[in-house]
Amino acid sequence: MIGRVQEMNQLERMYTSARFEFMVMYGRRRIGKTTILQEFSKTHKTIFFSAQEKNDALNLQDFSRLVQEYFDRNFISNFANWEDALNYLGRKSQNQRTVLIVDEFPFLAETNPSIKSILQHKIDHDWKERNLFLILCGSSVSFMLNDVMGYKSPLYGRSTGSMEVLPFDYLESAAFFPNYAEEEKLIAYGMLGGVPRYLNAFDPGRSLRENLISEILAEGAFLNDEPQTMLRMELREPPVYNSILEAVANGCNRVVEIADRIHEEKSKCSKYMLTLQTLRLLEKHVPCGEPDSSKRGIYEIADHFYKFWYRYVFSNKSYYSMLGIDKAADEIMGEINEYMGPVFEDICRQYLIRRAKAGTLPFTPYTIGKWWGNNPVIKAQDDVDLLALDRKGQRGIFVECKFRNRPMAMEEYDDLVTATEAFPNVKEKMLLFISKSGFTEAVKRRAEKEGAELVEAGEMYG
């Protein structure tokens, strides 16, 4: 299994505890929650119950068989109710560490809402004294946050740990393609993001273009209609959400712009966008150094595959069907550098965070992100690809990120120097340039003279 070291370590810590433990695990579909739990179960005896979308009696029947065969190696009969089933589990776990995993817990709770109160009663009056490790896992992020961990839930305050399983970062995603060149790994991450199921869809023995054709553009391919499938599973009105995501993927990043683009009221748009944020598909950004409440916030698609899919596949479905998938692939690859600009900034942000954790930056940043706004020196709008500020805002790292097929030129060096002038309160300024294709000799000489740092893409992760 690639990655997931921290997740496995957390499970191991809770398993080796000498007390009752209750973990709530959640994360969007395809993110790899079940894989983590299956990997954990390979080295520990677990009762692994996968709830299914069927009625409560049938789920109870499956659970009855599972726990009886686990403890007694024999199935006698179904338990009459969940209270009896959980009482049996509690009795049997007195003298041994017992791990109960309930995967897709929302399927169980939606057909029997009382199961949360039943579990709460068992935890409070029995299981706290048992050698039990309970894991409830679910793909419905909003359900797990509100109906399991929310303050109105009967289970509120009972969990001893929680885990949101997040997408892989660039470094982990690149491990899926060990034979790709550095640029190909970067583009693969831009196309697929960090969701393991999507990364596994590409054949690492085939080129990016071949994978793009066979796994994304071809009718019937898993990734060809995956975002549509996911929205239909999660949401009641997919057309509105589709329209919002398409608008954002094509450059509309403020609520008023999105509302105008899709011809919906601003208040309705805001409501739907909040849902997409809960699903971890949309995220709000404010200029680095400003509070989350800043009115200059913009929205971006959080998942790179969704960003790629809505920009190309969804927006051009009819056009590509006439053009043909081979020519469509050529067209996409021909403009991939433009698409990769914001993706590369995200990869550079991850690099900066890794360096901060490793202690190889001049200071530990208090905030890291993109900055945009008015530069009073040039009396015009300006931006910084990536900015890191210390807690007091007196030290800053200004980063220029370039994903181009030519070495970074002096003009781009000058642009970043000019942008730093919008921050007169930052007394100590470090310049960092990150380029896919290296730097001109003039830039190298100037950087050495002025103490700026130059990093090529391949040097970010070795």
Side-chain angles (χ1 to χ4, degrees), residues 171-183:
L171 183 59
E172 294 163 324
S173 300
F176 283 78
F177 307 103
N179 298 322
Y180 274 15
E182 187 66 35
E183 181 177 350

Side-chain angles (χ1 to χ4, degrees), residues 125-143:
H125 298 281
D126 183 13
W127 286 3
K128 277 188 176 180
E129 309 303 321
R130 303 294 182 189
N131 198 10
L132 259 168
F133 180 15
L134 170 65
I135 303 172
L136 300 184
C137 179
S139 297
S140 175
V141 174
S142 59
F143 184 94

Side-chain angles (χ1 to χ4, degrees), residues 13 22 54 73 88 92 104 124 139 143 146 235-236 286 356 441:
R13 284 196 305 272
F22 171 22
K54 53 187 180 183
R73 302 183 185 280
Y88 169 86
K92 289 290 186 177
E104 291 303 346
D124 290 350
S139 297
F143 184 94
N146 300 322
L235 303 166
R236 294 178 182 176
V286 299
E441 290 302 317

Side-chain angles (χ1 to χ4, degrees), residues 75-347:
F75 173 62
I76 300 173
S77 64
N78 295 333
F79 292 109
N81 50 56
W82 283 101
E83 288 91 338
D84 288 351
L86 299 179
N87 285 335
Y88 169 86
L89 178 70
R91 289 195 305 273
K92 289 290 186 177
S93 62
Q94 291 184 44
N95 301 315
Q96 57 181 305
R97 186 59 160 169
T98 302
V99 182
L100 171 60
I101 299 171
V102 182
D103 197 12
E104 291 303 346
F105 178 70
F107 291 159
L108 187 61
E110 284 165 3
T111 56
N112 181 3
S114 67
I115 192 67
K116 292 176 288 183
S117 296
I118 295 169
L119 282 168
Q120 174 253 316
H121 186 270
K122 292 305 301 175
I123 292 170
D124 290 350
H125 298 281
D126 183 13
W127 286 3
K128 277 188 176 180
E129 309 303 321
R130 303 294 182 189
N131 198 10
L132 259 168
F133 180 15
L134 170 65
I135 303 172
L136 300 184
C137 179
S139 297
S140 175
V141 174
S142 59
F143 184 94
M144 300 303 286
L145 290 175
N146 300 322
D147 293 65
V148 177
M149 293 193 293
Y151 71 95
K152 292 184 178 180
S153 168
L155 292 169
Y156 175 71
R158 271 73 184 182
S159 65
T160 59
S162 65
M163 177 191 298
E164 179 175 10
V165 181
L166 298 170
F168 287 138
D169 64 12
Y170 167 69
L171 183 59
E172 294 163 324
S173 300
F176 283 78
F177 307 103
N179 298 322
Y180 274 15
E182 187 66 35
E183 181 177 350
E184 293 173 312
K185 291 178 182 178
L186 292 164
I187 296 173
Y189 181 66
M191 289 180 172
L192 300 170
V195 174
R197 180 65 182 86
Y198 303 162
L199 290 160
N200 276 318
F202 270 25
D203 181 348
R206 305 177 73 184
S207 71
L208 278 171
R209 183 183 178 279
E210 290 171 329
N211 276 310
L212 171 61
I213 291 171
S214 63
E215 306 304 329
I216 296 181
L217 297 179
E219 288 289 337
F222 165 59
L223 294 178
N224 179 254
D225 202 37
E226 164 65 3
Q228 293 281 278
T229 302
M230 291 296 295
L231 289 187
R232 284 193 289 265
M233 292 171 66
E234 297 279 358
L235 303 166
R236 294 178 182 176
E237 297 182 73
V240 179
Y241 293 102
N242 276 329
S243 299
I244 291 172
L245 290 168
E246 181 186 22
V248 177
N250 285 284
C252 297
N253 52 27
R254 301 180 190 276
V255 178
V256 65
E257 295 172 351
I258 297 165
D260 288 345
R261 174 74 174 260
I262 70 172
H263 307 293
E264 295 283 0
E265 292 181 1
K266 182 181 173 182
S267 58
K268 182 177 181 179
C269 257
S270 296
K271 177 184 174 183
Y272 281 64
M273 289 166 69
L274 186 60
T275 299
L276 288 170
Q277 287 177 267
T278 302
L279 292 175
R280 307 304 193 251
L281 294 179
L282 202 65
E283 56 190 7
K284 181 183 178 182
H285 297 286
V286 299
C288 183
E290 294 191 12
D292 292 340
S293 58
S294 170
K295 293 182 179 180
R296 295 198 292 160
I298 61 173
Y299 291 86
E300 294 182 1
I301 297 178
D303 181 277
H304 293 313
F305 171 63
Y306 276 66
K307 189 183 302 179
F308 180 86
W309 190 87
Y310 276 97
R311 174 166 171 165
Y312 292 107
V313 182
F314 187 77
S315 296
N316 298 289
K317 205 167 187 67
S318 298
Y319 171 60
Y320 287 166
S321 68
M322 294 184 289
L323 187 65
I325 58 175
D326 285 283
K327 290 182 179 178
D330 290 337
E331 194 169 288
I332 291 170
M333 296 306 293
E335 61 175 66
I336 199 68
N337 280 3
E338 179 188 348
Y339 165 79
M340 282 295 297
V343 176
F344 190 57
E345 290 174 10
D346 176 46
I347 293 170

